[in-house]
Amino acid sequence: MPKTTAEANTVLTDRLDSTFFGLSTTYPTLAGGSFTEPSPANGYARQAITYGAAASGSRSNSSALSFPASTGNQGRFVAGGIWSASTSGTLRYFEWLGKETSKYFQPADVNTTTNRITLTGHGWSDGDSAVIRTPAGSTIPAGASVDTEYFVKSIDANTIELYTNSGLTTILDLTSAGAGSQEIFRFLPRNVNASGITLSFASGQIVNTEQ
C-alpha cells in the first residue's frame, strides 16, 4: 500500500540524517552491489551531506557539496549514492548522475528496421548518455536493457539512434518495439581523469524521494 506524505517525510528524515554522498564508476544494483569507488590514494573520499527538511515526500541537500581536488585519475563517474558511513556502511539510495526529466516513447515510435526512435523535440546531441527504464506493465524493446548507459546519435530534431559505445560505431539493434510506454532520460557522467579536478554539486541538486 502507498505511504502517506507524512510517513514519506518521516522515512527521509530518519534515513538521510548523518549520511555521506559517494560516486561510482558503475551503476549499482538494487541489492547494493556494484558501487565502484576509486582508491582514496587519488584523493577520493565520500562527503557528508547537509539536508534541508523533508517536504512533500522529497528531501534535498541544503548547501553545496564539493569533493576534494583529485590527486590522480579517479575514473568516469556515472552514479551517485547515499551511504550510512564515510567508509563501508550501507548504500541507501542511488541514481544516475545529473538525471534529467524523463521523456517517453511508445512502440509505434520504434523502427526496428532502421533502429531509430522517434522522440519529438528531444533537444539531445551526439554522444549524450541516455538510459531506458520500463514502467510497470510495459516491456522494453528487445535488444535494449534497463538502466544501461547508451549513447545518443541525433538524426534530426525528432529522431535518435542509440549506440553501445561513445564512438557511435555500434548501433543498438532493436529487434522488437516492446510493449507499453518507455521512459528514457539523459544523465551527465563526470570525468575525473587527472589531478586537480574538483567535483561540486549545488544546493538542491542531490534529491531523494519516497513514493
Side-chain angles (χ1 to χ4, degrees):
M1 62 184 71
K3 297 184 185 75
T4 64
T5 300
E7 179 62 17
N9 291 341
T10 298
V11 171
L12 288 167
T13 300
D14 290 344
R15 302 305 291 167
L16 292 176
D17 282 348
S18 302
T19 52
F20 296 81
F21 187 59
L23 299 170
S24 177
T25 57
T26 54
Y27 190 71
T29 65
L30 288 175
S34 298
F35 196 94
T36 308
E37 297 175 282
S39 167
N42 287 332
Y44 172 82
R46 294 176 194 163
Q47 299 299 299
I49 309 176
T50 302
Y51 278 101
S56 302
S58 180
R59 197 177 185 197
S60 61
N61 59 314
S62 58
S63 60
L65 181 151
S66 294
F67 284 82
S70 59
T71 57
N73 185 358
Q74 296 179 355
R76 178 179 180 270
F77 296 115
V78 299
I82 309 299
W83 286 85
S84 63
S86 59
T87 59
S88 299
T90 301
L91 179 62
R92 291 181 174 168
Y93 296 86
F94 61 89
E95 186 55 282
W96 296 95
L97 284 177
K99 178 183 179 294
E100 293 187 345
T101 300
S102 297
K103 299 178 184 293
Y104 293 86
F105 64 90
Q106 306 298 324
D109 299 319
V110 179
N111 187 321
T112 57
T113 301
T114 62
N115 293 310
R116 292 179 175 177
I117 299 171
T118 298
L119 203 62
T120 303
H122 57 77
W124 296 357
S125 301
D126 289 356
D128 284 350
S129 294
V131 170
I132 297 173
R133 283 182 177 162
T134 301
S138 296
T139 303
I140 194 168
S145 299
V146 297
D147 275 319
T148 298
E149 181 179 13
Y150 296 113
F151 299 90
V152 172
K153 182 175 182 180
S154 175
I155 303 304
D156 57 39
N158 302 311
T159 312
I160 64 169
E161 294 173 348
L162 296 176
Y163 287 74
T164 59
N165 67 317
S166 60
L168 306 183
T169 57
T170 306
I171 197 168
L172 179 65
D173 186 16
L174 301 172
T175 57
S176 82
S181 180
Q182 305 295 326
E183 177 186 5
I184 188 169
F185 57 84
R186 286 191 304 183
F187 73 98
L188 182 63
R190 305 287 191 92
N191 277 308
V192 181
N193 53 11
S195 297
I197 298 175
T198 300
L199 292 186
S200 297
F201 297 83
S203 175
Q205 194 171 0
I206 302 169
V207 181
N208 298 89
T209 58
E210 280 286 334
Q211 304 297 327

